Amino acid sequence: MSKEIKVALAGNPNSGKTTAFNAITGARQHVGNYPGITVDKKEGFTKVGENRIHLIDLPGTYSLTAYTMEEIVARNVVADQRPDVVIDVLNAGALERNLYLAIQLMEMGAPIVLALNMMDEANKQGMKIDIDKLADLLNVPVVETVARTGEGIQELLTETVKCAAKNEGKKWEPLSISYGPDLDPALNKMVDLIEKNNLLTDRYPSRWTALKYLESDDEIMQLGREAHPVSAELEEVVKSVSKHLESTLATYPEAVIADYRYGYITSIIRQGVVTRLDAAADRVALSDKIDTIVTHRFLGPIIMLAVMYLIYQVTFTFSETPVGWFESFFGWLGETAEANMNDGLLKSLVISGVIDGVGGVMGFVPLIMFMFLQIAILEDSGYMARVAYMLDRVFRFFGLHGCSVMPFIVSGGIAGGCAVPGVMAARTLRSPKEKLATLITAPFMACGAKLPVFLLFVGVFFEKNQAMVMFMITMVAWACALIVSKILRNTVIKGEATPFVMELPPYRFPTLRGLFIHTWERTWQYIKKAGTVILAISILIWAAMTFPNLPEDQVAAFDAQKTVVQEQIDAATASGAPVAELEEKLLSVENEEAEATLKNSYAGSIGVALEPIMSPAGFDWRTNIALVGGFAAKEVIVSTLGTAYSLGEVDPEDASPLAERIAQDPNWTPATAIAFLLFVLLYAPCFVTVVAIKQEANSWKWAIFSVVFNTALAYTVAVAVVQIGKLL
Amino acid sequence: MSNAIPMRELKVGEKAKVVAITAIGELGRRIRDMGLVPGAELEVVGRAPLQDPVALRLTGFTLSLRNNEADYIAVERV
């Protein structure tokens, strides 16, 4: 009879847990999110004989406290989903530390199978592990594995099925270890109280709950308080034992618990489980040696700059061709619609709303894929941790984390990036406050879509110092991002820096399968978004720029003008006279109509309505519409300005007629030009980025904050520039 | 105990043994989660280009933490 066995996969970060998950499930996996948080939820299936194994990948954690989302998720899955077996993947080379999590899982009572992973490396380090003895002492099955090569995986699955069969229908048997003469009596007392009142006993073993009270675990204590008034009595016990510990040993329960857990582990290891011989090739020692160069005082930063530059180059060079394919495809789609549909609203909606909107977003896909591929290489090889290590001192000053550098660079820290993959790169940040500050400030960077705007205005107003001014813009972006982070971290995202304490995993070559899976799952999440939220917003923006239509009398007036010119053209063609001038005249009538239509639309009304607000910054209604359009995508700014100046659709790549118009417009002075440049640099991120921020911050609140706050900041800066310009 | 010094004072290449952890709350927890408990042996293997954070070699793995976090760890040289 075939059965489904539910298995949870636990383990430390860098223990090879993800590799093991991939080795077990292959491509049959599903990535989602736990509701309400940004921790990835990965599940997969595999068959062992008759049995179907449903594998749930728990987030990589060192412990099961309530300090990080990952740890809360891990323990809640074990407590609530009651897996038949928990496989704990251990890095055999750092066995003691890895067993720390295993002990905590065993204290929760779940049937457990230990996978001693990376056994090949442990052997090379000169470690001999007596796995039979370990299995015996801990009373759990232990299997040696090398997840990278797939060695031992079959055996692991067989043991898992056996373990599931053995424990089927049985009550969980939590491990109970001694926490010493001070805590044990208190624990027993608390266990009695818990069992007498059935406090949370349907979810957690009573001793485990008692331990969590001693560790002052916020989540469990909150649950306890809501469940039963006996919680107060437990807290009293904790208070008195804490006081006792402090007065006699100058310590506190949480520390004592950790010491005894490690003591328990050491007592097991010392019974001949591990023997250390001379190392043949110690990967950790080799890694440390590589680090003397890679994180060297002078060489380190140079190598890092080179790597960053390379990533940036590879992403934008290699993705150029596939991005071109996407563009041609959507261009072709647009033309097909143009040729085959009747003129009218539906056609306009399909072309300008749906195809241009979704096409614009899908055009980022190759870019995002290359970016994620390289981030996956950096992460899987261990270099990302070194980048964080080297830059932490600088970034910490601004309330950020060493890992914030990646999102900044990708967003356009080297001019020409893109904030969408940039914001998504912030996923590697595990510190919530630092991550939020990074998400909000990364869009300040000079992304590729802002560049045409900069080039246009710099070309007109700063012809002599173009390169210098462009460089200055990039520097201003960095300065703003860092300073604003510092301000945010001292105001709305206030709070202590998250501890840095971080493993520097040994360098290793990433596996192709791992790279492929990481890249694909992130890219796919992005594509799914393009089909939903982004489609809806792009239709909304299309509607704002289309409705209401021009009043009929105005349309009729334009039509009449066009008819007159058309008749002149027809007459000229018939008589063989030159028609070029007349055709130009026709075009200019059409462009005037486009300008009038735009001004009359909701977006236009917004532009006009914004004039009193925006005039201190020196912007007229044309600029305002362009900026509103820029919310859809910053590329739109130049083309919308073109329409607003009656130039028809301006190609952002070649905007020279627009440049001439701007040069002639008395409204534009060098001061307003600088104000405009800074405004474009700093104001609301484009909506694709906003959606990405929502995804990463997991809250619309912060996504909307980024729109409002960044725009307010941009406005303040622009007004300041213009007003100071007037004084000079 | 008389030889105990804050970990910040260790130079690259020096070996030491943890004597006490005085950090509480999340920091204390994270330090212990990584196996830095009294009795644990470590070696300072490097410092970041700006001298902070510091890289420590423990049994089987390398760990990094900030200087102001290392201040909560008392060690004695071995």
Side-chain angles (χ1 to χ4, degrees), chain A residues 183-260:
Chain A
L183 291 188
D184 277 347
L187 269 172
N188 292 337
K189 195 169 161 192
M190 291 167 80
V191 168
D192 279 347
L193 283 170
I194 291 169
E195 288 180 351
K196 221 177 276 168
N197 297 287
N198 283 326
L199 180 77
L200 305 177
T201 41
D202 52 332
R203 285 183 85 188
Y204 307 110
S206 44
R207 193 174 165 91
W208 191 84
T209 307
L211 277 171
K212 289 293 143 185
Y213 266 83
L214 283 170
E215 288 177 341
S216 14
D217 185 293
D218 291 335
E219 203 213 9
I220 298 298
M221 284 167 69
Q222 187 61 36
L223 286 174
R225 281 180 207 130
E226 285 163 16
H228 201 282
V230 73
S231 179
E233 284 181 59
L234 296 176
E235 283 171 51
E236 273 310 309
V237 177
V238 173
K239 212 179 269 172
S240 85
V241 73
S242 302
K243 216 176 192 176
H244 175 71
L245 280 176
E246 208 189 326
S247 59
T248 55
L249 300 164
T251 181
Y252 49 98
E254 205 184 345
V256 175
I257 291 171
D259 290 351
Y260 271 89

Side-chain angles (χ1 to χ4, degrees), chain A residues 20-93:
Chain A
F21 182 80
N22 293 340
I24 294 172
T25 62
R28 293 175 299 277
Q29 44 178 275
H30 170 81
V31 189
N33 267 87
Y34 287 98
I37 44 174
T38 50
V39 177
D40 281 344
K41 179 184 190 174
K42 287 215 282 186
E43 289 172 288
F45 294 91
T46 191
K47 285 200 99 166
V48 180
E50 285 288 281
N51 303 287
R52 193 168 124 97
I53 291 190
H54 174 190
L55 192 67
I56 306 167
D57 190 29
L58 302 179
T61 63
Y62 294 105
S63 184
L64 293 175
T65 62
Y67 286 118
T68 66
M69 267 303 148
E70 283 81 5
E71 294 180 31
I72 292 176
V73 165
R75 69 189 200 187
N76 284 350
V77 170
V78 174
D80 298 333
Q81 303 207 12
R82 297 264 144 184
D84 297 302
V85 179
V86 177
I87 298 178
D88 184 12
V89 183
L90 287 81
N91 172 2

Side-chain angles (χ1 to χ4, degrees), chain A residues 62-63 65 67-68 93-94 97 100 104 125 215 252 254-255 258-259 261-262 276 282 284-285 288 295-297 301 389-390 392-394 396 401 497-504, chain B residues 21-38 45-69:
Chain A
Y62 294 105
S63 184
T65 62
Y67 286 118
T68 66
R97 197 203 68 209
Y100 191 65
Q104 296 184 57
Q125 276 174 38
E215 288 177 341
Y252 49 98
E254 205 184 345
D259 290 351
R261 267 192 201 129
Y262 275 111
R276 286 197 155 81
D282 184 349
V284 182
D288 287 345
T295 64
H296 181 266
R297 281 192 80 165
Y389 168 69
M390 281 191 280
D392 184 67
R393 189 66 198 86
V394 180
R396 191 202 334 162
H401 186 276
T498 314
F500 183 73
V501 186
M502 183 182 75
E503 207 178 333
L504 293 175
Chain B
I21 310 284
T22 50
I24 52 165
E26 182 176 5
L27 179 61
R29 190 66 209 219
R30 290 220 183 182
I31 289 174
R32 289 191 190 92
D33 283 352
M34 302 304 275
L36 278 171
V37 285
V45 287
R47 282 185 184 278
L50 293 168
Q51 299 302 304
D52 184 17
V54 58
L56 308 174
R57 171 74 192 270
L58 282 94
T59 324
F61 66 102
T62 306
L63 182 72
S64 74
L65 41 77
R66 292 172 178 155
N67 279 340
N68 59 9
E69 294 163 352

Side-chain angles (χ1 to χ4, degrees), chain A residues 166-485:
Chain A
K166 205 179 95 188
N167 288 287
E168 199 188 344
K170 278 197 206 157
K171 235 177 97 80
W172 282 11
E173 281 171 31
L175 169 76
S176 166
I177 64 176
S178 165
Y179 286 99
D182 292 305
L183 291 188
D184 277 347
L187 269 172
N188 292 337
K189 195 169 161 192
M190 291 167 80
V191 168
D192 279 347
L193 283 170
I194 291 169
E195 288 180 351
K196 221 177 276 168
N197 297 287
N198 283 326
L199 180 77
L200 305 177
T201 41
D202 52 332
R203 285 183 85 188
Y204 307 110
S206 44
R207 193 174 165 91
W208 191 84
T209 307
L211 277 171
K212 289 293 143 185
Y213 266 83
L214 283 170
E215 288 177 341
S216 14
D217 185 293
D218 291 335
E219 203 213 9
I220 298 298
M221 284 167 69
Q222 187 61 36
L223 286 174
R225 281 180 207 130
E226 285 163 16
H228 201 282
V230 73
S231 179
E233 284 181 59
L234 296 176
E235 283 171 51
E236 273 310 309
V237 177
V238 173
K239 212 179 269 172
S240 85
V241 73
S242 302
K243 216 176 192 176
H244 175 71
L245 280 176
E246 208 189 326
S247 59
T248 55
L249 300 164
T251 181
Y252 49 98
E254 205 184 345
V256 175
I257 291 171
D259 290 351
Y260 271 89
R261 267 192 201 129
Y262 275 111
Y264 179 73
I265 292 167
T266 312
S267 73
I268 285 172
I269 300 283
R270 292 238 171 103
Q271 292 179 51
V273 171
V274 176
T275 15
R276 286 197 155 81
L277 310 165
D278 279 342
D282 184 349
R283 187 181 277 274
V284 182
L286 178 69
S287 245
D288 287 345
K289 211 168 272 169
I290 297 174
D291 270 338
T292 56
I293 298 166
V294 175
T295 64
H296 181 266
R297 281 192 80 165
F298 303 112
L299 288 177
I302 294 172
I303 294 171
M304 185 167 61
L305 274 180
V307 169
M308 294 293 167
Y309 187 70
L310 194 71
I311 287 183
Y312 174 82
Q313 279 295 323
V314 168
T315 304
F316 290 94
T317 317
F318 282 84
S319 61
E320 206 170 299
T321 318
V323 165
W325 294 338
F326 274 85
E327 277 172 4
S328 338
F329 172 72
F330 283 98
W332 170 81
L333 216 57
E335 278 164 27
T336 314
E338 176 79 51
N340 294 308
M341 291 180 71
N342 294 326
D343 277 343
L345 269 184
L346 184 64
K347 179 175 179 174
S348 166
L349 169 67
V350 168
I351 296 177
S352 308
V354 179
I355 298 178
D356 284 0
V358 174
V361 172
M362 294 298 278
F364 286 122
V365 166
L367 210 75
I368 281 168
M369 243 169 78
F370 275 100
M371 184 56 69
F372 279 146
L373 174 65
Q374 292 178 89
I375 291 177
I377 294 175
L378 290 192
E379 279 179 347
D380 293 1
S381 67
Y383 188 67
M384 191 68 104
R386 271 72 185 184
V387 171
Y389 168 69
M390 281 191 280
L391 283 173
D392 184 67
R393 189 66 198 86
V394 180
F395 279 76
R396 191 202 334 162
F397 178 78
F398 296 102
L400 299 167
H401 186 276
C403 288
S404 302
V405 69
M406 207 59 205
F408 281 146
I409 301 253
V410 176
S411 296
I414 310 170
C418 174
V420 177
V423 161
M424 291 167 95
R427 197 168 300 175
T428 53
L429 267 160
R430 279 193 157 201
S431 333
K433 296 195 186 87
E434 285 85 345
K435 180 176 174 183
L436 210 47
T438 309
L439 290 177
I440 291 166
T441 53
F444 288 154
M445 295 296 169
C447 76
K450 293 175 189 168
L451 286 185
V453 188
F454 297 154
L455 289 171
L456 173 68
F457 279 80
V458 170
V460 173
F461 293 97
F462 309 98
E463 214 184 333
K464 289 193 184 111
N465 305 310
Q466 286 199 29
M468 183 64 193
V469 175
M470 290 302 285
F471 179 73
M472 290 293 290
I473 290 173
T474 309
M475 288 296 106
V476 169
W478 273 98
C480 286
L482 292 176
I483 293 166
V484 170
S485 295

